[in-house]
Amino acid sequence: MAEEQVQQNQQGKQNQQNKKNEQPVDTKQLLKVRRDKLQELRESGNDPFLITKYDVTNHSMEIKDNFEQFESKTVSVAGRMMSKRVMGKASFCNVQDLQGSIQAYVARDAVGEEEYKAFKKMDIGDLVGIEGTVFRTKTGETSIHAAKVVLLSKSLQILPEKYHGLTNTDMRYRQRYVDLIMNQDVKDTFVKRSKIISAIRRYLDGEGFLEVETPMLVANAGGAAARPFSTHYNALDEDVKLRISLELYLKRLIVGGMERVYEIGRVFRNEGLDTRHNPEFTLMELYQAYTDYHGMMDLTENLYRHVAQEVLGTTTITYNGIEMDLGKPFERITMVDAVKKYSGVDFNEIHSVEEARAAADEHHIAYEKHHKKGDILNLFFEEFVEEHLLQPTFVMDHPIEISPLTKKKPENPDYVERFEFFMNGWEMANAYSELNDPIDQRERFKAQEELLALGNEEANTTDEDFMYALELGMPPTGGIGFGIDRMVMLLTDSPAIRDVLLFPTMRHIEQ
């Protein structure tokens, strides 16, 4: 029988035997056995928790992918023992590390009688270090012929049964550490997430941007339409909020002459959870002096292509079976034209709020009493357009009512120089030609505060310090915000935002 066919963890065998005998697994007894083994190790002077380091020379996939280079050479690997098959004087085990897993052949004559006895007492889930030479078995599996086996940490808990893994979705998110152990594809997703963020940084650094950090606890949570979390700062006896955006502080830096800045950081919005929303998420915002929203479109195209090529090796990606081509020029369409294309309603022919409401009523679009023509245009866009924007698309020229921080279009002041970037029907980024007229900005803030008084909890309030900065003078500036989590979802073909957050927000449960 081939080795890989017979390898399975001891706990799995125990479970199968118990099921056959129709006897429940005595989990308490299994846990007690592990603690008894630890006590024996300590009494014999072999406490694994006293080991402080282990010299790892190589990882599993590095060895397996380059067998010719490593054949007959000595390597040291470390990781979690995921399976073990004891056969008298020789045994096999499988060790899982960051990259994947590799088989080890442990023979009594090679490691010594005492060390072999110690190996046989090790459990699935224990962390081990193995030193030995690289070879291939008769079945062609790259393996390590162990010369030394060291127990580095004793596992006192029992892993889920290997072949079924951790399948309870709720527990996968709550116990991500177990999920990472049992599901290699999950680990691969988060390794890829790290590479995506690194690739973003390399691209922007290469374009002359400076990475900065700005406050998370703020007096005024502005820069986006969202409800903030509030807390109290005891030392200053002041109420403060968790930031909902990075915008206003980064713009202050543009005023200060930094010209090109970006920040990648967590923001917090007191709203619901679904497959694309988590109350805390990773946002990347950047601001570039002396450019406009067209410059931000060019940057977005180049950034997405760079990241996809560097991390995935291609500019063609597939999400949920839909192929998207980042190599082609991204489509550019105005919001008015997009609504006309998909709903048949031409807002160029609508000249008053009454006409907009009549169109909404006709198309069964619900609106609120404070909504103006621009708000209703946006409701039409959300209802009729978004789901169709599968390929990379810039939707441009938003109504002024929903864009309080954006420069007006000189030829049509009812609209602003703003775009949202869409893929797969999702908003992936939001960008402006930034409003740098302090008089206009104050009027926009005033309009936002009127909305707040009418009950809109997502409206902005006037930030006087930011206003002072604008009055000093801010150059023409382009700015953009990217949702990093959604970008990672698309590039890793992950169905929900929780699949790309190591520790997503969950309702607390008593342990």
Side-chain angles (χ1 to χ4, degrees), residues 77-89:
V77 300
R80 194 176 299 274
M81 188 184 297
M82 299 300 291
S83 68
K84 185 172 74 166
R85 179 168 61 96
V86 177
M87 304 181 302
K89 298 179 182 179

Side-chain angles (χ1 to χ4, degrees), residues 191-207:
V191 169
K192 197 169 289 182
R193 178 190 174 105
S194 179
K195 291 180 178 179
I196 289 168
I197 294 174
S198 295
I200 291 171
R201 285 192 166 104
R202 277 192 292 274
Y203 177 80
L204 293 177
D205 293 347
E207 293 294 311

Side-chain angles (χ1 to χ4, degrees), residues 9-21 23 25 30 158-162:
N9 68 51
Q10 292 174 313
Q11 188 59 53
K13 286 184 177 180
Q14 182 67 55
N15 288 345
Q16 292 171 5
Q17 185 62 45
N18 285 330
K19 183 177 288 187
K20 186 180 295 184
N21 296 335
Q23 295 176 352
V25 175
L30 292 174
I158 301 168
L159 292 175
E161 200 278 320
K162 180 178 178 182

Side-chain angles (χ1 to χ4, degrees), residues 278-302:
N278 195 72
E280 59 174 304
F281 61 97
T282 303
L283 184 65
M284 192 267 285
E285 291 196 32
L286 64 86
Y287 293 84
Q288 179 180 340
Y290 311 113
T291 191
D292 62 3
Y293 74 144
H294 292 290
M296 292 296 99
M297 290 185 215
D298 295 340
L299 183 148
T300 302
E301 285 199 40
N302 293 332

